[in-house]
Amino acid sequence: MNFTLCSSSPELRYPYVDALRSTDIHAIASKPSLRIDNAVKKDIVQLSNQDAGKMVMSSNLMPRHLKEPFVGKEQPDEQSQKLKFVRTLLIDNYDSYTYNIYQELSVINGLPPVVVRNDEWTWGDFYHYLYEENAFDSVVISPGPGSPTCPADIGICLRLLQECWDIPILGVCLGHQALGYVHGAKVVHAYEPIHGRLSEIEHDGCELFHDIPSGKDSGFKVVRYHSLVIDAETLPKELIPIAWTVSTGALSFHHTQKSDVPADASADSFSTNLKNGSSWPLSCSNGVQRRKVLMGIMHSTRPHYGLQFHPESVASCHGRQIFRNFREITEDYWKRLKPSIIKQRRFHYAARMQVPHANGLFTEIPGHRKVVNGADDQLYKEASSSGQLMLDKRCFGAFDMVNVSNPIIGVKYLKLKWRKFDHLAGQVGGARNIFCELFGHHKAENTFWLDSSSTEKGRARFSFMGGRGGSLWKQVTFRLSDESDMASKGGGYLSVEDSQGSATKTFLEDGFLDFLKKELLLFHYEEKDYEGLPFEFYGGYIGYIGYNLKVECGMVSNRHKSRTPDACFFFADNLLVIDHYNDDVYIMSLHEEFTTTSTPWLDITEEKLLSLQASIKKDREERAIQALRSFPDKGGFVADRSRDDYIKDIEKCLEYIKDGESYELCLTTQIRKRIGEIDSLGLYLHLREKNPAPYAAWLNFSGENLSICCSSPERFLRLDRNGILEAKPIKGTIARGTTQEEDERRKRQLQYSEKDQAENLMIVDLLRNDLGRVSDPGSVHVPNFMDVESYATVHTMVSTIRGKKRADVNAIDCVRAAFPGGSMTGAPKLRSMELLDSLESSSRGIYSGSIGFFSYNHTFDLNIVIRTIVIHEGEASIGAGGAIVALSNPEDEYDEMILKTSAPAKAVMEFT
């Protein structure tokens, strides 16, 4: 079906004038008072061409080598006047997919865009950089929660679309709706919310869809995340429809991968007329006419485009080609201008990847903005000497690295010594026996065990264990203040107990993550100390980060205060490591250089290890039965929320999703039981036997009367010594079958569940976004997508996302970019957490947080705290929940939540 109004005539689309960007522009907006600093700091970073050549980019799921340089001086060819790279301003509507667009634009444009949130700049700022400094060639408006009719949701974007008629603009999802709304179209509820599902797209062949197939079975399938749509009947004459769904139905990802599964059967269509004279397809289904959904629009006289779907999604086809086409549109637009206008845009500025500001990666200083610019020292000198633009660091905001190049106070020069015992673990009874005999005495007080109790199929390989250590050992405990919001930067109280038992308490104005960041930056070490070791933890901080530390990662506040500390870590200077693949045992000891050359702990531990016999393994289960209790309690667990209340909360979530406030909400609750005094290590050993997991953990902070028995199957985030980040979110869970036939049937049921695929896809895109904030442009990819993994009690759907860490960020920056794990929040993350805080009746505490390590050499590995028993002051609590999406059934969601509590709750009931 052809749309005759979509003309390729440049006169129709780009009415340019000779005096474009001259004083005539003041007819659009009066010159604002600008808030631009005169001083430009020199500590700005730019990717070198040498580094750029090492970048890789993602092509749908997997990366390939990047051919285009990321940065360089803009030098248009005098003959063609084409741009060597395109400078894009990316407006973030507080979405969790913005940095997927960022990554795509970085690859396509040859230069990372600058990202600013929709309320971060005044119109004066935009006017200055767009018109006075000519800093950008195009603008992209991101998706986001809410509606363009709500000023708080859309921010400055409506004014940009209204007044920047002479700049190429692409709006995605919310940006698409804003383009329609600003010109008079109505934004209404869709026939049904579509989130994380795919549709086949037909288009009219205009430039934005150049070289992209069209229509049913063409291979052009895209991912949709929206509850609202532009009412096509209300399109004004200046807006032209350029794309629409082939049929009213949406598809799951695996549905689109199976050629023998038909697409939507209701593909017959006919036409009616819109008020602007264009034709609009309708479809018939069961005798009822349903309007197909508008998926793309363009302005008839401005270089403005909108897409309702998400081209940046990992499962969208031809998404990169769409961004490439938008670059071509931008180049062609500026090519049509007179050479004098182009030359005005030639200055030595390369817009560098930004770092989230007010509520993003690095906590904002109140009243102060932050973003990273990009230019090396030479570029800075050239630009400043010629009076050319360098974007204000106050407005764009650079994250302030702690300068520890020559620190004076608190520096620790660390030395590592270690010994290896080949094939020893099995000879002395395995990990369980080693831990119990070396660290399990005296109620295993102040001990840790990152326990890969499920190592089959390569899920995990190493276990790390230890207890109170040597001179460097300490315990740090952090509690957020009652006024833990962004205004106070999430400050709180830090208690530190050292190896001598001395305790101090201080207030951390900047919060715990900043403290941990500065601590790690104070360690000096030599890489040769750990050469040859196959694992990534050589000593350092080991413990947990509670869910409430989300206030240090972008959230404004916590509604509920945690009963347990918000973070608790040991600094482990002595530890034992088991390699489950090779059955090897390592013992390791850290000390400060020049302080000692003796290794008493290594000597003592080696003697204990070699004296162990497998036959002396104690039956902890039998021992646990005799454990003392303050009182016998045969009662069951009590839930924080009743079944009816939880289902009502699910229904509220569905309303939020229908209204476009969220795509997915991970609603949770907790069950609790008084257990009195108990052998908590014995309980953990029972849990690991009944429900082994690759990211299991035992932590005992005896001074806090706190033990954590974790059997988590989910990795949150890892950073290895090669700078590779990896996340492995789980979304989609089903109980194992009682027979092999039933088990296989349930596994297939999960694999092809449209709801579970939608859940998983949304979180994969969210994690791609989070890693994209701190990864090299083009390096984020998905090597494993929607794999089904089987555990003792459940099947789960797991995906793997990886990226290469940028050189200008550190380990804590990476955690801050992604915490809390998206599988426990939903998307968009910030808005979803706000909604969940309003629904949930108590703090999640440790549940939904992360357990793991931060090695002194800046590697880390953290899990997601699920399937976990938290024992605190005589009470056992277990958190559980599930992702609520548009396809959710409240009764089924409640049953899934109960399923997730069953293994740890059963372990407690059997043990007590």
Side-chain angles (χ1 to χ4, degrees), residues 803-846:
K804 180 69 168 67
K805 183 186 75 67
R806 290 198 338 243
D808 61 332
V809 298
N810 61 35
I812 303 302
D813 301 330
C814 295
V815 172
R816 201 192 299 269
F819 187 83
S823 62
M824 301 307 296
T825 64
K829 184 183 285 187
L830 292 180
R831 179 68 61 88
S832 295
M833 287 193 292
E834 291 172 1
L835 297 173
L836 292 167
D837 259 13
S838 72
L839 292 174
E840 295 176 354
S841 58
S842 61
S843 170
R844 297 187 186 184
I846 299 169

Side-chain angles (χ1 to χ4, degrees), residues 13-14 165-169 301-305 326 329 333:
R13 269 191 221 182
Y14 309 132
W165 53 269
D166 54 339
I167 296 175
I169 299 178
T301 60
R302 299 181 179 186
H304 294 179
Y305 296 82
F326 183 64
I329 289 169
Y333 179 80

Side-chain angles (χ1 to χ4, degrees), residues 46 57 258 360 367 430 502 545 674 746 761 775 785 787 835:
Q46 181 188 25
M57 66 180 180
K258 290 174 67 66
S502 176
I545 300 170
R674 294 297 303 178
R746 285 177 171 268
L761 173 56
S775 296
F785 193 36
D787 292 346
L835 297 173

Side-chain angles (χ1 to χ4, degrees), residues 433-499:
N433 197 46
I434 292 172
F435 183 85
C436 292
E437 293 304 317
L438 269 62
F439 309 109
H441 303 289
H442 308 293
K443 300 182 181 179
E445 293 181 350
N446 298 317
T447 57
F448 62 86
W449 182 5
L450 301 186
D451 178 19
S452 296
S453 57
S454 174
T455 59
E456 68 273 18
K457 300 180 181 179
R459 289 174 184 150
R461 177 175 172 180
F462 303 103
S463 291
F464 305 90
M465 58 182 69
R468 196 178 183 100
S471 61
L472 294 176
W473 181 93
K474 61 182 175 182
Q475 178 182 328
V476 295
T477 304
F478 179 75
R479 287 180 170 84
L480 286 163
S481 67
D482 292 335
E483 295 79 29
S484 56
D485 54 27
M486 291 300 292
S488 64
K489 299 186 63 181
Y493 295 92
L494 182 78
S495 301
V496 180
E497 180 186 354
D498 64 19
S499 59

Side-chain angles (χ1 to χ4, degrees), residues 395 506 760:
C395 290
T506 57
N760 199 278

Side-chain angles (χ1 to χ4, degrees), residues 637 670-673 868-872 875-879:
F637 280 88
Q670 303 218 19
I671 60 174
R672 306 178 190 276
K673 174 179 166 60
T868 297
I869 307 162
V870 175
I871 304 170
H872 183 231
E875 179 186 74
S877 63
I878 300 168

Side-chain angles (χ1 to χ4, degrees), residues 386-651:
S386 62
Q388 293 161 336
L389 168 72
M390 294 299 296
L391 298 185
D392 172 24
K393 187 174 182 180
R394 180 178 60 83
C395 290
F396 273 99
F399 96 91
D400 299 320
M401 290 284 290
V402 178
N403 182 5
V404 293
S405 57
N406 293 293
I408 299 174
I409 301 174
V411 176
K412 290 183 172 59
Y413 295 87
L414 301 180
K415 293 295 294 180
L416 175 68
K417 294 189 176 182
W418 55 274
R419 299 172 188 175
K420 177 185 177 183
F421 304 92
D422 294 333
H423 314 303
L424 180 65
Q427 300 175 30
V428 296
R432 170 179 168 144
N433 197 46
I434 292 172
F435 183 85
C436 292
E437 293 304 317
L438 269 62
F439 309 109
H441 303 289
H442 308 293
K443 300 182 181 179
E445 293 181 350
N446 298 317
T447 57
F448 62 86
W449 182 5
L450 301 186
D451 178 19
S452 296
S453 57
S454 174
T455 59
E456 68 273 18
K457 300 180 181 179
R459 289 174 184 150
R461 177 175 172 180
F462 303 103
S463 291
F464 305 90
M465 58 182 69
R468 196 178 183 100
S471 61
L472 294 176
W473 181 93
K474 61 182 175 182
Q475 178 182 328
V476 295
T477 304
F478 179 75
R479 287 180 170 84
L480 286 163
S481 67
D482 292 335
E483 295 79 29
S484 56
D485 54 27
M486 291 300 292
S488 64
K489 299 186 63 181
Y493 295 92
L494 182 78
S495 301
V496 180
E497 180 186 354
D498 64 19
S499 59
Q500 304 301 315
S502 176
T504 60
K505 186 175 183 179
T506 57
F507 182 79
L508 297 180
E509 182 179 350
D510 294 339
F512 181 76
L513 293 179
D514 272 10
F515 160 80
L516 200 56
K517 175 178 175 178
K518 293 172 184 177
E519 283 280 297
L520 293 174
L521 289 171
L522 290 174
F523 297 136
H524 285 226
Y525 54 88
E526 296 183 18
E527 293 184 5
K528 66 179 182 180
D529 285 359
Y530 49 81
E531 285 180 357
L533 293 175
F535 43 85
E536 302 287 351
F537 183 47
Y538 319 117
Y541 284 100
I542 194 163
Y544 73 84
I545 300 170
Y547 179 73
N548 273 9
L549 280 195
K550 63 183 185 290
V551 295
E552 297 188 16
C553 304
M555 269 292 286
V556 174
S557 63
N558 287 309
R559 183 182 180 189
H560 308 288
K561 188 173 180 63
S562 175
R563 304 181 188 182
T564 54
D566 294 292
C568 213
F569 281 82
F570 299 118
F571 185 88
D573 53 358
N574 297 327
L575 67 148
L576 183 147
V577 186
I578 299 174
D579 180 348
H580 296 285
Y581 281 8
N582 299 320
D583 210 33
D584 299 332
V585 177
Y586 298 80
I587 54 176
M588 314 176 71
S589 184
L590 263 181
H591 62 87
E592 286 195 75
E593 194 172 11
F594 313 123
T595 59
T596 180
T597 57
S598 62
T599 56
W601 186 85
L602 291 179
D603 296 336
I604 294 170
T605 304
E606 177 178 353
E607 182 178 352
K608 289 181 178 179
L609 265 177
L610 297 178
S611 65
L612 287 178
Q613 300 289 328
S615 59
I616 67 171
K617 176 180 176 181
K618 296 181 180 179
D619 187 349
R620 300 282 304 190
E621 302 290 343
E622 181 179 346
R623 175 182 169 186
I625 293 176
Q626 303 172 0
L628 295 176
R629 300 177 178 85
S630 58
F631 58 87
D633 182 4
K634 299 301 181 182
F637 280 88
V638 177
D640 283 357
R641 303 286 280 173
S642 69
R643 182 180 183 278
D644 288 345
D645 287 341
Y646 193 77
I647 288 178
K648 287 179 182 178
D649 288 341
I650 294 172
E651 291 169 347

